[in-house]
Amino acid sequence: MPVRLLLLALGTFAVGTDSMVVAGILSPIAADLGVSVTSAGQLVTVFALAYALLAPPLAALTARLPRRRLLLSALAVFTLANALSALAPTFGLLLATRVLAAAGAALYTPNANAVATTLVAPERRGRALATVLGGMTVATALGVPLGTWVGRGDWRMTMWLVTALGLIAWAGLAALLRDLPTPVGAPPTLRERLAPLKDRRVLGAGLTTLVFFLAFQSVYIYLATAVHGATGGDAGRLSLVMLTTGLASVAGSWLGGRLVDRAGVRPVLIVGSAVAAAAFTALPWLGRSMPGALVYAVVVPLAGWAVSIALPHRLASLDPANAPLLISLNSSALYLGTAAGGAAGSAAIALLGTHWFPLSATAWALAACATAALTTRPARAAATAAGPAPRVPAPQA
């Protein structure tokens, strides 16, 4: 496997770790900076919202820049932002550094995917993309629990860990990423990137993504609070829960791909959302013991990541020729849902308390289930209306 692909994947590993590891160190951040846990949770909200809002205009503004310069600049901004996060003396400054980190991440990830396809022969592009995107998956499985464990005594060490990962990736790419081919054709404008939103089917798919991730993240961001009865605030136990969640996420991605191929998108969306809703409902009881918390840490990621595979597949199938553009819109909806989930989880804790707040996620998951049911058709009906199904490329972002 080309070393340059592994370095690109290391960058996406750093980005993936950074985007969600804060969920595992909310309590140390809150204690150190004198804010509540729910306020600290807005660090995830700010990062996700900034990523979602900045990605389309930044892509349009930088489309004509040389990709090597763009990748190195994006990774430099991301790495510097995490160093500033580690040094931030106040919560307000920490929030500002998260916006800067999100800007770097929003530039790096899509361009890393694009560059990966230029480093290999056409018949190996799928595997190249899988390698780079695999950095995000491994971040969920290993980066987040590792960051949680490293930050158990001092949350700033977690930020330094992400900084080190970004710096290693930057140095490697600066040394080895040369002679990249120039992109062919004019890049899409911002208006062209947003044009698919005029299609009601695209809007329905995007809304499903947003609502589902709102439900999922409203609990995940505050998972340490939800399972406090099981962990007793012990960082080692929380790291075990996060590791289990990460490994189940990888399994859920694998399962989701196969279920979509066999059963279709609609059943995976509806059943996965319903299973997640049931687990959210049970969490106030499961979170009282380690066995229960670990059961939750297996069930929800299995269902949630299966759904996360079905969501971009659904969008790609609407217009296979424009699949990369549609999938980028799905990513924006995902990050908007994550941002809304941070706010919704905080509000639920304020209204329902730290024990019962997962019940609000039940309502959101059922809303996602209903949205999926109302905006999709059974496979037989869809096939009858549309004729032979087009060949859909695998999701690439």
Side-chain angles (χ1 to χ4, degrees):
M1 182 178 296
V3 174
R4 293 184 293 180
L5 284 180
L6 294 177
L7 289 169
L8 289 171
L10 179 60
T12 57
F13 175 78
V15 169
T17 300
D18 189 45
S19 65
M20 290 310 303
V21 74
V22 173
I25 54 174
L26 289 184
S27 294
I29 291 174
D32 183 39
L33 298 181
V35 298
S36 66
V37 170
T38 54
S39 295
Q42 301 317 301
L43 293 167
V44 180
T45 298
V46 166
F47 184 99
L49 184 61
Y51 189 111
L53 295 180
L54 291 174
L58 285 176
L61 289 171
T62 61
R64 297 186 182 277
L65 294 179
R67 284 180 171 173
R68 180 178 183 274
R69 183 193 305 171
L70 185 57
L71 268 180
L72 293 177
S73 298
L75 204 51
V77 169
F78 171 80
T79 302
L80 174 63
N82 275 280
L84 293 174
S85 293
L87 296 170
T90 66
F91 185 68
L93 287 175
L94 182 57
L95 280 173
T97 65
R98 304 318 295 151
V99 174
L100 187 62
L107 269 178
Y108 178 81
T109 303
N111 281 288
N113 292 332
V115 167
T117 64
T118 69
L119 300 178
V120 296
E123 65 272 13
R124 299 182 64 87
R125 286 176 179 172
R127 278 168 284 186
L129 284 166
T131 299
V132 175
L133 290 173
M136 301 289 285
T137 304
V138 176
T140 303
L142 299 178
V144 172
L146 175 63
T148 301
W149 183 81
V150 168
R152 67 193 187 281
D154 183 355
W155 64 270
R156 297 177 191 273
M157 295 303 297
T158 300
M159 297 293 100
W160 286 121
L161 171 65
V162 177
T163 301
L165 292 172
L167 187 59
I168 294 170
W170 184 91
L173 291 174
L176 299 175
L177 195 66
R178 299 183 184 278
D179 302 322
L180 294 178
T182 302
V184 179
T189 64
L190 180 58
R191 178 175 295 182
E192 290 170 336
R193 292 173 187 273
L194 299 179
L197 293 177
K198 297 177 181 179
D199 188 333
R200 290 185 179 181
R201 298 173 302 167
V202 173
L203 281 176
L207 181 62
T208 305
T209 298
L210 191 154
V211 176
F212 180 79
F213 275 90
L214 190 164
F216 186 86
Q217 299 291 6
S218 69
V219 174
Y220 181 83
I221 293 171
Y222 300 102
L223 187 57
T225 298
V227 299
H228 188 270
T231 65
D234 180 74
R237 290 188 174 189
L238 178 59
S239 296
L240 176 60
V241 173
M242 302 298 275
L243 176 61
T244 303
T245 299
L247 295 175
S249 299
V250 175
S253 297
W254 178 87
L255 179 65
R258 281 146 185 78
L259 288 176
V260 167
D261 288 341
R262 289 191 176 188
V265 166
R266 191 172 194 266
V268 175
L269 291 178
I270 293 174
V271 174
S273 298
V275 169
F280 294 145
T281 303
L283 183 54
W285 292 272
L286 293 175
R288 294 176 179 177
S289 67
M290 277 301 291
L294 292 175
V295 167
Y296 174 87
V298 170
V299 172
V300 168
L302 276 176
W305 280 75
V307 169
S308 74
I309 294 299
L311 289 167
H313 190 285
R314 174 188 178 185
L315 270 169
S317 68
L318 296 178
D319 185 1
N322 290 313
L325 183 58
L326 291 171
I327 292 172
S328 71
L329 292 175
N330 181 77
S331 296
S332 290
L334 185 157
Y335 276 98
L336 284 174
T338 298
S346 177
I349 290 174
L351 291 173
L352 302 177
T354 57
H355 184 67
W356 298 105
F357 81 93
L359 297 181
S360 68
T362 301
W364 288 114
L366 291 176
C369 185
T371 303
L374 292 172
T375 58
T376 58
R377 288 180 292 177
R380 182 176 300 176
T384 301
R391 294 183 65 185
V392 179
Q396 298 180 354

